[in-house]
Amino acid sequence: MVVPITEQRRKSEARIDLLQYCIIVGFAALAFGFWLLQGVYHAHYRELAENNHQRTLPLRAPRGIVFDRDGRPLVENRHSFGISIVREHTRDLGRTTRLLSEILGMDEARVRELVDRHRREPTYRPIPIVQDATLAQVAAVTARRLDFELPDVVVEPVPTRRYPESMAAHIFGYVGEASDAQVTDDGRLKSGDIVGQSGIERSYNTLLMGTDGAKRVVVNSLGREMRTLEEVEPTEGRRLKLTIDADLQRAVENGFRAFGYRGAAVVMDPANGELLAFTSLPAYDPNAFASGIDRATWNALNTDELRPLQDRAIQGRYSPGSTFKMAVAVAALEEGVISPDFHVSCPGYATFYGRAFKCWKGGGHGSVDLRHAIEQSCNVYFYTIGNMTGIERIHKWATRLGLGVKSGVDLPSEGQGLVPSPEWKRSRTGEKWYAGETISVAIGQGQVSLTPVSMAVYVSAIANGGSRVTPHLLKAVDEGQGWKDAPKPPPARVELKPGTVKALREGLWMVVNGAGTGGRARIQGRDVAGKTGTAQNADKDRDHGWFIAFAPAEKPEIVVGAIFEFGGHGSEVAPYVVRSIRRYLLGPDSTGGDRPRQIILPGDAPRAPIQLPDSATLPEVQVPPVPETR
């Protein structure tokens, strides 16, 4: 059948109209796409295009250097290299992970774990794989980059923390990569930042952290840097000057090792709370953390029975033994319960609430006043005045002197000691306080447990006449315009009667210079005042030994609080403490030998070593419930 010409023409025109319509739609789509590319997404695609030949490399800022009080460097920085993956420039992240782990000699699962941790971050931000690469690792990666196998891996210089001397680990603390929680809590941090994790590195992280810089470079198609377009130099963190005396700190730690004990010591200026030395042993090497600690070392530190990561000076809690007796004396004197001339007859024991409580000296001390009771560490005397004073007033004055509360030291994770009270017992056990329990507390036993740093605050308040200082480590800050003194924490005034201070000082002086248990701390011409203490220890057969001291007795310049774990009687700690005092008052050549020995200076009368304990050696008293009376 023949199709009419008119119909053919109509069909042709329809096809042409359809073709025209398609062409219009196509050009409209092209125009719309062009508008999107050149208008809406112009900046985005321009950045992608530039990134094909430009890269921005971060420049990590070095942390601030830390000095001792005399300007000697304690914490520095050293040059090292970091190896990172830049996901923005990788085509096959799995391949890069496998190849890089093989080249670096690392477990592939560990590298993959690091990559996965940073997946949610912007792709332009490098993923740090090795913080402190060895020269062999740097050479291996660089060679593979030249062979174009790892164009998405960068090797960059990074400043790394360095602790020149193996001391003061718990003061300095250590650094590490910011955790997810730290990044979340502090909006200024980003993943991969190196921040302080303990010690002053953590307390003053904001000051010590600098401001990172950046470098924009041109690269060729293979990722090789051709030239630098722009560079913003990083800003180093602020320099800090600590109150620590490096020589004294070294002597304090060497003394611990020479005497063969572990424990803690706090050396402080009683006038302002400046910490002159501060140690906890055993310790660890902060350098192990500087470039990222390996899992084996970290696990070993955490499972070590000696607990080297624990800062015993601020976290260790120990019964104070007889060193607590001055707090009981302060409470009794300030509340008017006794006077310094109050006498107690000690036949070697005393009976309270139907039970006999022994003195350490079997034959007793006879009739003694407060000064001689401190000198001889007479338990019966303090049983008696503790019972007369009562636990509420003992708690009140012990707390005022800095015991059982946090000291406020500028270190993280400080623990709080305990001076028990009726309220504390009621909240903990639901039971009332019985008067018989006060008897054990009166000689620093029972439920009393205190930290070494709080003991230093306590003896400082006695030494300076009633000013409770706040121990601190930061002395000055340099923000680029020279040293500027850091604000000092204001002391809290503890109103003590002159007669109280006089009686305590005389008694403590007699402990060392009279016939007391601290005679091994005597320094001729340098009136040392102090008190020994023996802390019962339920876990071991051997007790902990305390010695607290200040010198000179009339115008104190230095206080020391030290504990030897399982060191026996406090008299055994006295020779160690006197080393610190001699080193501070008389100079570096005055500490004597490195072995514990009886110190006899010219003009001293020879004396036999003191072997007597200075607090009750019987087991902790379990007092049956009795009516509370005084």
Side-chain angles (χ1 to χ4, degrees):
M1 184 180 70
V2 179
V3 179
I5 296 176
T6 304
E7 184 177 349
Q8 288 182 353
R9 182 179 300 171
R10 189 165 49 247
K11 289 182 179 180
S12 297
E13 289 177 350
R15 291 191 188 99
I16 293 172
D17 290 342
L18 178 63
L19 178 61
Q20 290 176 339
Y21 176 79
C22 291
I23 292 173
I24 292 172
V25 170
F27 274 101
L30 289 174
F32 180 74
F34 181 79
W35 174 75
L36 285 176
L37 292 175
Q38 295 297 322
V40 178
Y41 297 113
H42 171 76
H44 173 72
Y45 286 107
R46 179 178 180 180
E47 181 180 357
L48 291 179
E50 289 180 348
N51 283 341
N52 285 330
H53 69 277
Q54 293 183 16
R55 291 184 180 177
T56 300
L57 305 177
L59 301 176
R60 182 174 295 168
R63 291 175 70 84
I65 300 175
V66 180
F67 301 85
D68 86 334
R69 64 187 301 112
D70 296 318
R72 289 169 289 192
L74 298 174
V75 183
E76 302 172 330
N77 296 306
R78 62 179 175 84
H79 295 293
S80 64
F81 290 94
I83 297 176
S84 306
I85 297 175
V86 183
R87 284 181 297 151
E88 186 179 41
H89 303 127
T90 187
R91 295 181 179 177
D92 188 343
L93 187 57
R95 173 184 173 279
T96 298
T97 301
R98 290 192 300 272
L99 183 57
L100 187 59
S101 61
E102 178 182 345
I103 293 172
L104 296 177
M106 295 177 62
D107 181 43
E108 183 179 341
R110 173 59 178 162
V111 177
R112 195 175 301 280
E113 178 185 340
L114 292 171
V115 172
D116 290 341
R117 179 183 172 188
H118 296 271
R119 278 188 182 274
R120 295 184 179 180
E121 297 175 9
T123 57
Y124 63 81
R125 186 174 295 167
I127 300 175
I129 304 299
V130 179
Q131 297 283 357
D132 186 14
T134 65
L135 292 179
Q137 289 175 322
V138 171
V141 171
T142 303
R144 296 301 182 101
R145 291 196 73 225
L146 292 176
D147 290 337
F148 318 126
E149 292 184 61
L150 295 171
D152 49 351
V153 176
V154 295
V155 178
E156 54 187 352
V158 293
T160 301
R161 226 38 172 162
R162 175 175 176 265
Y163 306 88
E165 294 195 54
S166 180
M167 68 175 189
H170 292 94
I171 292 178
F172 304 145
Y174 55 86
V175 297
E177 186 176 343
S179 65
D180 294 339
Q182 288 173 317
V183 173
T184 301
D185 294 340
D186 189 341
R188 295 168 297 181
L189 297 178
K190 60 182 182 296
S191 183
D193 281 346
I194 300 300
V195 299
Q197 302 290 356
S198 71
I200 62 162
E201 292 279 21
R202 177 176 171 183
S203 295
Y204 295 109
N205 183 68
T206 302
L207 293 176
L208 291 169
M209 276 192 71
T211 303
D212 289 345
K215 181 171 68 171
R216 193 157 58 95
V217 299
V218 175
V219 297
N220 60 16
S221 59
L222 298 175
R224 184 179 302 176
E225 294 180 17
M226 304 301 293
R227 70 178 186 275
T228 300
L229 295 177
E230 182 183 10
E231 183 170 350
V232 178
E233 293 289 340
T235 303
E236 184 176 349
R238 295 171 178 85
R239 304 194 306 164
L240 303 186
K241 181 183 288 186
L242 303 185
T243 60
I244 293 297
D245 182 319
D247 290 335
L248 182 59
Q249 178 73 29
R250 192 178 302 110
V252 166
E253 296 202 9
N254 288 341
F256 255 105
R257 296 185 179 97
F259 280 70
Y261 289 105
R262 63 179 186 263
V266 178
V267 185
M268 190 165 68
D269 185 336
N272 53 30
E274 290 187 352
L275 291 167
L276 305 172
F278 182 96
T279 190
S280 171
L281 291 174
Y284 55 89
D285 183 4
N287 289 295
F289 294 84
S291 56
I293 191 168
D294 61 86
R295 289 185 177 181
T297 304
W298 175 246
N299 291 335
L301 287 172
N302 277 284
T303 57
D304 191 331
E305 293 182 355
L306 298 182
R307 297 167 299 163
L309 291 174
Q310 182 191 35
D311 187 346
R312 288 162 163 80
I314 62 174
Q315 296 171 333
R317 303 202 318 179
Y318 309 87
S319 293
S322 290
T323 58
F324 188 72
K325 290 176 179 176
M326 283 79 69
V328 178
V330 168
L333 291 169
E334 291 298 313
E335 295 291 340
V337 176
I338 66 169
S339 69
D341 296 326
F342 178 77
H343 278 68
V344 172
S345 179
C346 172
Y349 69 94
T351 302
F352 299 93
Y353 311 105
R355 179 163 185 171
F357 292 82
K358 296 180 180 180
C359 189
W360 67 264
K361 188 175 183 180
H365 294 96
S367 180
V368 290
D369 62 6
L370 176 61
R371 298 170 181 84
H372 289 88
I374 293 174
E375 176 193 29
Q376 296 296 318
S377 198
C378 177
N379 289 338
V380 169
Y381 190 96
F382 288 94
Y383 290 149
T384 303
I385 69 170
N387 185 60
M388 294 168 62
T389 306
I391 189 62
E392 294 95 340
R393 291 187 284 193
I394 292 174
H395 177 271
K396 167 187 170 182
W397 285 98
T399 302
R400 287 186 179 183
L401 293 170
L403 299 177
V405 294
K406 291 185 178 182
S407 69
V409 64
D410 49 349
L411 287 172
S413 306
E414 179 184 5
Q416 182 172 329
L418 171 65
V419 177
S421 67
E423 292 75 15
W424 168 83
K425 185 180 180 185
R426 191 177 299 112
S427 65
R428 183 177 181 183
T429 67
E431 299 177 359
K432 65 174 295 185
W433 182 272
Y434 296 101
E437 296 177 88
T438 307
I439 307 302
S440 293
V441 171
I443 61 167
Q445 301 290 356
Q447 295 153 320
V448 188
S449 60
L450 303 171
T451 61
V453 70
S454 69
M455 292 292 282
V457 174
Y458 156 65
V459 72
S460 291
I462 295 172
N464 63 32
S467 183
R468 178 177 150 192
V469 297
T470 300
H472 58 279
L473 287 161
L474 185 61
K475 187 174 182 66
V477 180
D478 181 7
E479 298 184 356
Q481 299 177 345
W483 293 111
K484 182 179 180 181
D485 290 343
K488 291 182 173 58
R493 186 66 189 169
V494 183
E495 296 297 335
L496 298 179
K497 302 172 185 175
T500 299
V501 176
K502 183 174 184 294
L504 293 179
R505 282 183 174 175
E506 289 176 354
L508 294 171
W509 182 89
M510 292 164 64
V511 168
V512 176
N513 301 282
T517 53
R520 298 174 73 183
R522 187 182 305 172
I523 302 176
Q524 186 178 13
R526 300 285 178 172
D527 287 336
V528 178
K531 187 72 186 75
T532 55
T534 302
Q536 293 176 0
N537 177 43
D539 297 331
K540 302 286 184 179
D541 294 333
R542 193 165 173 80
D543 296 329
H544 301 316
W546 280 99
F547 193 74
I548 57 176
F550 57 89
E554 288 302 319
K555 294 182 179 180
E557 300 176 23
I558 179 175
V559 300
V560 184
I563 184 168
F564 283 178
E565 290 185 356
F566 316 115
H569 305 310
S571 58
E572 299 181 32
V573 191
Y576 164 79
V577 171
V578 81
R579 286 171 57 98
S580 303
I581 295 175
R582 288 171 63 91
R583 172 63 183 79
Y584 184 78
L585 295 178
L586 303 178
D589 298 326
S590 62
T591 54
D594 287 333
R595 296 178 181 274
R597 59 184 177 86
Q598 181 181 353
I599 298 173
I600 303 177
L601 299 176
D604 284 350
R607 56 187 184 274
I610 296 172
Q611 302 295 337
L612 298 176
D614 63 325
S615 67
T617 56
L618 56 155
E620 181 177 327
V621 179
Q622 300 296 327
V623 182
V626 294
E628 184 170 2
T629 59
R630 294 201 189 111

